[in-house]
Amino acid sequence: MERRDFFKKGTKAAVAASVIPMITTAHSGPEDVVYNRDTDKWYHLGSGKTGIPNRKKTADYDVVVIGGGAAGISAAVAAARNGSKTVLVQDRPVLGGNASSEMRVHLNGVNRLKNGKAERETGIIEEMLLLNRFCNEQEAYTVFDHVLYEYVMREPNLTLMLNTQAIEAVMSGSKIKSALCWQSTTEMLYTLNAPIFIDCSGDGLLAATAGAEYRTGREAASEFNETFAPEKADGWQMGATLLMSSKDMGRPMKYTPPFYAIKYDYKIAHPKRKIAGFQNGIWWIELGSDDDIIADYEENRHRLMGYLHGVWDYIKNSGEFPEAENFALDWVGSLPCRRESRRFIGDYIVSEKDLTEYKHYPDAVAFGGWPIDEHIPGGIDNITEPPTHFHYHFHNLYEFPFRSLYSKNITNLMFAGRNVSQTHIALSSSRIMATCALMGQAVGTAAAICNQKNTTPREVGKKYINELQEQLLRDDVYIPKRPANDPNDLAKKASLIFASTTSSGDAKLLTNGISRDINGKINHWMSKGLPAELQLEWDAPTALSAVEIKCDTNVNRNIMMRKDSRNDELFTNGVPKEMVKAIKIEGRVNGKWEDLGAIDNNQTRLIKFKFNSSKVTAIKIIVTETYGANDVKLFEIRCYK
Amino acid sequence: MLNKLHILIVIFFLIIFQKENHNNLNNIEYKVTIHHPGEKMPIKAVLTQVKDKAGFTTGYFMDVESVICLENVCKIIPVRLHWDDIGNYQRYELEELATLEKYEADVFTANDYKKLHRILLNKNSPFKEVFIGDILTVKNELNTNVDVISGATALELDTKDTVPGAALTCFTLWHWANGDVVNTIQQLTSKTASTKQLVAYIKTKKPTYYALALKELTHRKLYKKAYLDAIFKHINNSPAIVKPTITYFESSTKNGYFKNIKKLFIIGNSEQKIAALKSITLTNKQATPIYLESISSYANTLQTYQEVDALINMLEKKQYFSNQTANNLTPLLNGDFLTARRVYWFLSNKKLSNTQKQAVINFKKLYKNKI
């Protein structure tokens, strides 16, 4: 069968490009690539029959998410929870992207603003990181993979496809009709049909084959009036890093470098290329490209492996680091952690000044705050230079608009992660994984709205942005300068809200729509001791079936797993002690208090109670235990019909 | 000019230093162990309690080192810190001719000394929140804050909040002046205070003194009229801290407890009334029906829903009800709706007189859609 015939029969739609990696011979060209199993000669000893294995499947979803990193997981979970039947397609055997055990980058976010404090992301990304604290006390990266696996697999409306790469878009005009995906472990070609596609894969192959406009390289300073951009545009894309880790074996350990090691020339190395902390890897072992960074990946990987062993040889055998005598490599990466490649064009391109001037957008859906941290051209090839330039440290959170998260020219395509619509300089800050995860939750939620309203992402931005923001806020995303005001929230309609004790804040603040203390303003209620009670009173009986509470997890202290297991005022290596552990709610029905629900081992900041609809004149929230704090602090109470 | 001024300040400090060190025979020295966030292990130090001729504690002082130095490259100067009797930092002193140093061996200017004093006075200084790791990270190590392995960035404080070039000294001294030692001082002051002094503390109307005195009275189990008069006078004149008052009453005898908690309920503000009612609700001490009824007789004086709710919760918990209680509560059916509804539910399943019953029925008819 000719390739053209296959698509005609299989999908009756046009294909944007010819990239399916199928059987080829030494002398064939792309025109010979065919997905054709007619010649398969399978003799099945069990059945005694000869046949052709089924290697093609088609499935229909409401949303297809490509890429299983922090952004993709967030997008897929958000879409599924908001009612869309969703599939998450991940090309690796594990979830987590750069943070997975295959790469082991710290899942950073707004780790620290200029005031010295973190302003951590909440919502789906926080749920994942908290689950890891409950299930992975030993802080093992391979266990983290499984924590994420559990987190995704437990979503009832979500299908996960591992070892599956989206390789080509099937188009219908400016709309993606299907994603062709190759699952390497089953030799299966999947055709995934959906009205909405989200590319969170970083490199964005599906989006590129769909014909979505994109750019690579560095913008000229003049294009967006950027201070830190080069005068002239160029093709440079920041490098990918290859990490390693080592272990103190308790006795002297020898090291012999492999033949491909590239000798580390420490004499000319810039002093900022620090070796201190080598036990946990050296982040500046990185290589980028000023041309086609995706095409260069395998060549760069080989050279990075050479550099990695060259640096380790220097640490072990130069005599400069006697403290390394007992150390041996216990893990070496083989998959460089990518920072930059394609950036797709949306209706808005976020640039440096948007960040540094804290631009406020009516369609803000995410935030960031990692410094503008531009790794230098050349990477480790440019060893005489410092490895990165921290151009700018942020005082506050900057906003990210929804218009940068969907394609300008492909009508049903959204993005989240490093491939969104932004300049190279903006990417230097926003590429950080927890920031990408916030974008993911935003586009996943937007995808569900697209399906509910039968519309496009652009129209969501124009007509339903308030609905999108309200849903994100309800789902525990923080959007700077955008307090929640959900008309369906019945807690706002209570006549009276009061607490048994108060040590700081005020019970009335729990319905003000701002779910964290921010910019020096208190938005919480905190008890004086435990147990503590809150009571909401309505004038008339009010039908309720859901109560949602946001508790304190200390967003000023980072909770992601680190190789050094740092545990101090800025980082924790355990469950935040402020979190609510045991909580119950009661409703007053006909003057009598009735139990509506109880949770004994809460694991989330957003605590949800669902119960059979009950007409109450009051509810009582009783917190009996935290994970260590003497007082309980809450940020929000919502009630729904 | 500045150098001259600096010398004057040092001389001034020295004079005070010598005077206090040698002339005050009432001073008492305590060996204390203090945790400093810049030190891995707790530090042993000598804290001196300064007393006047009448034996009243007037303050404390302690000699500390000017800077925590991890790499033995800093110049360490002994610094004497002074506090008042409840641990509020007052001033610092240096030894004769001693000078504090900044980065690269610059010495403090006269303005730097004044600024350091202002920093130590500020209980909410940014140094409260920062970590020693931030202070020790110098500018050329900025780049450790990278995405792959995140380290510390150099601390960037507003110049008004620090002495530029001496952040480590500011950090070290701020935590000495405002850290663990404050609790130690308060404990020593209360432990060594005479009963006369404790009464004086209550009369100051300052929350810290009040809490400290009540805690000590509770500990010593002192319930004489003089103390109680001072406490109730304090409650009358200013919003008192509730918890130490309740704890104090709860630690007394049964009769004393019921008498005083009732008085607190009657004369206290809303928060105190609710706290008193909750205390009666939860106490294991057996209240008599007459006592509970007398509490309920104040129902018409209660101003908020929360107060009435606390009163009814108490009656429900004690399983107490009488015709007189109903009489006390029935008038509230005509008041604020939420409060009235709370009373309605309490009364609706009780055995009532005809008049009371009619009041409940009327309420039900009037608000049939809201109950």
Side-chain angles (χ1 to χ4, degrees), chain A residues 15-31:
Chain A
V15 176
S18 302
V19 291
I20 303 176
M22 289 295 119
I23 306 155
T24 59
T25 67
H27 303 289
S28 62
E31 69 279 7

Side-chain angles (χ1 to χ4, degrees), chain B residues 34-51:
Chain B
I34 308 284
H35 175 75
H36 190 290
E39 300 278 4
K40 283 182 182 164
M41 300 298 288
I43 303 295
K44 288 181 177 167
V46 174
L47 181 65
T48 304
Q49 186 179 31
V50 182
K51 294 200 169 202

Side-chain angles (χ1 to χ4, degrees), chain A residues 107-410:
Chain A
L107 209 158
N108 292 318
V110 186
N111 286 18
R112 175 186 214 131
L113 293 172
K114 251 187 159 178
N115 63 12
K117 288 185 177 177
E119 202 60 68
R120 208 159 41 69
E121 301 74 12
T122 50
I124 288 172
I125 184 64
E126 189 193 45
E127 281 182 22
M128 286 185 236
L129 296 180
L130 285 174
L131 185 65
N132 188 52
R133 288 302 178 196
F134 284 101
C135 302
N136 188 10
E137 205 177 338
Q138 65 275 33
E139 300 189 289
Y141 273 85
T142 45
V143 174
F144 182 57
D145 296 338
H146 285 214
V147 169
L148 295 180
Y149 186 77
E150 180 192 0
Y151 185 75
V152 167
M153 291 300 287
R154 72 187 187 185
E155 282 300 325
N157 216 15
L158 178 57
T159 301
L160 173 63
M161 294 173 70
L162 291 177
N163 299 301
T164 307
Q165 171 127 41
I167 47 178
E168 191 157 344
V170 181
M171 302 300 295
S172 173
S174 64
K175 196 175 169 189
I176 302 175
K177 198 166 180 178
S178 314
L180 296 185
C181 301
W182 173 248
Q183 190 169 60
S184 59
T185 48
T186 59
E187 302 175 352
M188 196 72 71
L189 182 71
Y190 280 94
T191 302
L192 303 179
N193 303 315
I196 295 290
F197 291 81
I198 304 173
D199 194 327
C200 305
S201 66
D203 284 350
L205 174 58
L206 180 88
T209 64
E213 289 179 26
Y214 68 89
R215 50 168 69 180
T216 64
R218 301 196 292 180
E219 287 79 5
S222 57
E223 187 178 357
F224 291 93
N225 188 26
E226 292 183 311
T227 316
F228 309 123
E231 192 183 334
K232 282 186 180 174
D234 63 30
W236 179 254
Q237 293 142 87
M238 285 185 285
T241 289
L242 192 62
L243 285 171
M244 62 185 171
S245 69
S246 59
K247 191 176 171 184
D248 186 342
M249 306 300 287
R251 61 190 163 85
M253 297 297 291
K254 288 178 186 160
Y255 172 73
T256 306
F259 77 89
Y260 56 82
I262 302 169
K263 197 163 180 59
Y264 175 64
D265 192 351
Y266 68 93
K267 286 178 190 155
I268 60 165
H270 192 277
K272 285 185 179 174
R273 294 186 177 270
K274 291 194 177 296
I275 300 289
F278 64 82
Q279 298 89 337
N280 299 320
I282 293 181
W283 57 267
W284 44 261
I285 299 175
E286 66 176 67
L287 285 170
S289 173
D290 57 9
D291 184 18
D292 187 347
I293 197 168
I294 294 168
D296 292 345
Y297 188 82
E298 284 301 317
E299 188 187 331
N300 278 350
R301 176 197 49 76
H302 176 73
R303 292 180 62 232
L304 282 167
M305 288 171 70
Y307 271 123
L308 183 151
H309 285 284
V311 172
W312 186 247
D313 184 34
Y314 167 64
I315 292 168
K316 285 294 293 181
N317 298 326
S318 68
E320 297 283 322
F321 301 94
E323 69 271 27
E325 191 182 8
N326 289 359
F327 276 81
L329 292 173
D330 71 336
W331 173 78
V332 284
S334 296
L335 200 61
C337 325
R338 285 173 264 212
R339 284 190 180 82
E340 181 175 6
S341 55
R342 295 183 177 104
R343 300 191 305 277
F344 291 90
I345 308 300
D347 278 353
Y348 187 81
I349 299 174
V350 174
S351 61
E352 176 195 312
K353 292 283 168 65
D354 296 335
L355 274 51
T356 57
E357 294 175 3
Y358 305 104
K359 183 169 180 173
H360 179 60
Y361 306 95
D363 63 335
V365 287
F367 68 79
W370 184 265
I372 295 180
D373 162 25
E374 190 196 16
H375 290 233
I376 63 152
I380 196 170
D381 281 343
N382 196 1
I383 200 165
T384 56
E385 295 294 318
T388 190
H389 294 298
F390 276 89
H391 295 301
Y392 191 86
H393 290 263
F394 291 95
H395 293 274
N396 297 312
L397 300 175
Y398 62 75
E399 301 173 23
F400 222 87
F402 181 61
R403 282 164 294 156
S404 297
L405 305 182
Y406 58 81
S407 170
K408 182 182 176 182
N409 63 317
I410 303 299

Side-chain angles (χ1 to χ4, degrees), chain A residues 464-533:
Chain A
Y464 304 109
I465 192 66
N466 187 57
E467 202 169 324
L468 172 58
Q469 289 174 325
E470 284 297 339
Q471 189 61 50
L472 289 168
L473 292 164
R474 181 174 174 181
D475 293 339
D476 203 18
V477 170
Y478 174 70
I479 303 176
K481 298 172 195 159
R482 173 59 171 87
N485 189 17
D486 183 352
N488 297 321
D489 176 12
L490 298 169
K492 280 179 174 290
K493 297 184 170 117
S495 308
L496 183 64
I497 175 166
F498 63 93
S500 55
T501 57
T502 300
S503 64
S504 73
D506 193 325
K508 292 184 187 77
L509 294 172
L510 297 177
T511 54
N512 76 354
I514 307 171
S515 59
R516 67 172 64 194
D517 294 338
I518 189 86
N519 300 327
K521 192 172 174 286
I522 284 179
N523 294 300
H524 71 248
W525 158 78
M526 188 157 84
S527 75
K528 203 183 286 179
L530 287 171
E533 289 182 12

Side-chain angles (χ1 to χ4, degrees), chain B residues 169-191:
Chain B
T169 300
C170 294
F171 170 85
T172 304
L173 292 176
W174 189 91
H175 282 281
W176 280 127
N178 295 284
D180 259 11
V181 75
V182 176
N183 275 336
T184 307
I185 286 174
Q186 290 184 0
Q187 280 170 20
L188 280 174
T189 296
S190 59
K191 207 170 116 185

Side-chain angles (χ1 to χ4, degrees), chain A residues 108 112 114 243 272 280-281 283 339 370 390 431 498 500 537-539 562 569 588 591-592 617, chain B residues 131 134 140 143 145-150 153 156 278 305-306 337-338 341 345 349 369-371:
Chain A
N108 292 318
R112 175 186 214 131
K114 251 187 159 178
L243 285 171
K272 285 185 179 174
N280 299 320
W283 57 267
R339 284 190 180 82
W370 184 265
F390 276 89
R431 68 171 186 272
F498 63 93
S500 55
E537 290 271 345
W538 286 271
D539 265 355
R562 289 173 58 97
E569 290 88 342
R588 195 175 55 210
K592 301 264 185 233
T617 48
Chain B
F131 321 122
D134 302 338
N140 65 4
N143 291 343
N145 194 18
V146 295
D147 53 358
V148 178
I149 297 173
S150 177
T153 48
E156 295 187 37
K278 280 185 182 166
Y305 172 90
Q306 291 94 312
F337 171 70
L338 290 180
R341 188 173 63 182
W345 276 318
N349 60 356
N369 295 326
K370 297 177 86 173
I371 52 178

